[in-house]
Amino acid sequence: MKEKFLKILLNPKYIFGVYLIISVVTAISKYLRGEYAINNYLIFKNVFFNTIHQKNLFIHYPDLYFDLNHYGVFFSALIAPFAMMPDWLGISLWNIANTFIFIYGIYKLPFSDSKKAIFGLLCLQEYITAALSLQFNVALTGLLLLSAVYIYERKEVRSVTAILIGIFVKIYGIVGLTQFFFIKNKARFILSGIAVAVLFFVLPMAYSSPQFVIQCYSDWFQSIVEKNSENQVLGNMQDISLMGFVRRVLGDASISNLVFLAGGLPLFALPYIRIKQYKHYAFQLMILASTLLFLVLFSSSSESPTYIIAVVGVLIWFFLQKERTPLIIGLLVFVIIFTCFSTSDLFPKFVKENYIIKYSLKAVPCIVIWLRVTYELLTKDFEKNYSLN
């Protein structure tokens, strides 16, 4: 019985099946709670309808939903099939589609089946947090994984397409370009990227107008600038990042993002000087891990559902380790408890409100891991010290 249980537990097909089931359960549970619970989905589907009617995508529509949309006009093409369905079905299939991209990204990683299964289990809690928000972060994580894997597989067109979907939807996808130095056929990547970018740019014009789409990109830029300013508030549900942690501990919301980026970007870029390590897939994947962590830790827009991106980065780092010392295991446990479960019922409400949220403590374990990843990228021999099996 025990062996049968372990066989199931270590089979990624079963674990991925659980993900798909959870994607439906979370979607339906949100739908049954009413419009307030599915507000994010209402924002998403109305990106499509507002595009058709050529209405500003980035202003308030209190009769349709609360809060604002921050996704690009290209997103209207992705959400269109779901938007035209009844909400209960559209939400379910939307969550399934996001989840499929995510688990396919994990499936394509060069780890053994048992590692992929454990990988899925360890980020399940963070996945549930993201799936309940009905956001694009789940799919974006999968796209970033696929963009890196496709570069290693020399499938440049697929890689740049994955990156551009992320860029045209949420800007964040631009970090996929951190793998650019590992591309063998850079000309094909660039030329195909230009072609795909043009296609993505003009596609919404087919059901709106060129003038509207061009105006959308101007409005989008303005909305992102305004959102960044709004996020830098002490104690809100945004800015759960390295920057937010420092700002909240010091009690000074006025500290500019540029102060942190001035130190963070050079530190992030420094491992690229190790050109001889480029040929090792483990080095490329560790750069990916650093990228996923950096994206979340240096964004004032980071919130709890965003951490599916960072936790996947942590798990890539962990499963690349050839020797899992007590320190390595301890750091992983630190992340699982204080990042993945810090917003769950495992922590009392008083602790969550007065410490976890107030000081952005969810970010702290990932900050420690990112510094560790950077240290390893700068000092380790990736042929000898890391394993893909």
Side-chain angles (χ1 to χ4, degrees), residues 8 10-18 107 117:
I8 293 174
L10 298 178
N11 189 329
K13 293 181 180 178
Y14 292 115
I15 304 304
F16 294 161
V18 169
Y107 169 77

Side-chain angles (χ1 to χ4, degrees), residues 140 143-148 151 156 158-168 171-183 186 189-194 197 268 272 278 284 287-288 291-292 295:
L140 178 62
L143 289 169
L144 291 173
L145 293 177
L146 290 171
S147 67
I151 283 176
E156 290 85 3
R158 294 186 185 184
S159 176
V160 76
T161 300
I163 292 170
L164 287 170
I165 291 173
I167 293 174
F168 274 79
I171 295 295
Y172 283 0
I174 198 169
V175 300
L177 294 175
T178 57
Q179 297 281 312
F180 181 79
F181 294 102
F182 311 134
I183 298 170
K186 291 181 174 60
F189 182 89
I190 294 170
L191 292 175
S192 59
I194 293 171
F268 173 79
Y272 284 99
Y278 284 13
Q284 297 178 25
I287 288 287
L288 174 62
T291 300
L292 296 173
L295 172 60

Side-chain angles (χ1 to χ4, degrees), residues 111 119 145 285 288-289 292 312-320:
F111 299 135
F119 193 115
L145 293 177
L285 289 174
L288 174 62
L292 296 173
V312 166
V314 170
L315 292 175
I316 291 173
W317 161 78
F318 179 78
F319 283 106
L320 283 174

Side-chain angles (χ1 to χ4, degrees), residues 96-287:
I96 289 173
N98 279 272
T99 302
F100 179 79
I101 295 171
F102 177 73
I103 59 179
Y104 186 64
I106 296 175
Y107 169 77
K108 290 288 288 181
L109 290 172
F111 299 135
S112 65
D113 283 351
S114 60
K115 282 187 177 181
K116 291 174 185 176
I118 299 172
F119 193 115
L121 284 170
L122 290 175
C123 62
L124 185 58
Q125 172 63 28
E126 207 58 54
Y127 161 77
I128 293 172
T129 300
L132 282 168
S133 75
L134 304 173
Q135 291 184 9
F136 187 67
N137 292 321
V138 175
L140 178 62
T141 307
L143 289 169
L144 291 173
L145 293 177
L146 290 171
S147 67
V149 171
Y150 285 142
I151 283 176
Y152 182 77
E153 294 179 352
R154 301 192 180 186
K155 296 176 180 176
E156 290 85 3
V157 178
R158 294 186 185 184
S159 176
V160 76
T161 300
I163 292 170
L164 287 170
I165 291 173
I167 293 174
F168 274 79
V169 171
K170 206 177 178 181
I171 295 295
Y172 283 0
I174 198 169
V175 300
L177 294 175
T178 57
Q179 297 281 312
F180 181 79
F181 294 102
F182 311 134
I183 298 170
K184 300 299 181 183
N185 192 333
K186 291 181 174 60
R188 190 193 323 180
F189 182 89
I190 294 170
L191 292 175
S192 59
I194 293 171
V196 173
V198 170
L199 174 63
F200 286 178
F201 181 75
V202 303
L203 182 59
M205 297 179 186
Y207 45 89
S208 59
S209 71
Q211 295 81 6
F212 174 77
V213 170
I214 292 170
Q215 183 61 46
C216 277
Y217 281 100
S218 174
D219 295 338
W220 191 22
F221 174 78
Q222 186 62 36
S223 77
I224 292 173
V225 172
E226 291 174 357
K227 186 174 187 292
N228 180 63
S229 298
E230 293 169 359
N231 289 340
Q232 291 181 218
V233 177
L234 302 180
N236 67 0
M237 299 300 290
Q238 304 283 331
D239 205 12
I240 303 176
S241 61
L242 182 151
M243 304 183 297
F245 170 67
V246 174
R247 278 192 278 252
R248 294 177 185 193
V249 169
L250 296 179
D252 185 358
S254 67
I255 304 175
S256 171
N257 291 344
L258 295 177
V259 173
F260 300 97
L261 291 172
L265 277 173
L267 189 58
F268 173 79
L270 199 55
Y272 284 99
I273 65 174
R274 304 189 70 199
I275 298 174
K276 291 182 179 179
Q277 297 293 326
Y278 284 13
K279 61 185 176 182
H280 303 304
Y281 196 10
F283 182 80
Q284 297 178 25
L285 289 174
M286 195 68 85
I287 288 287

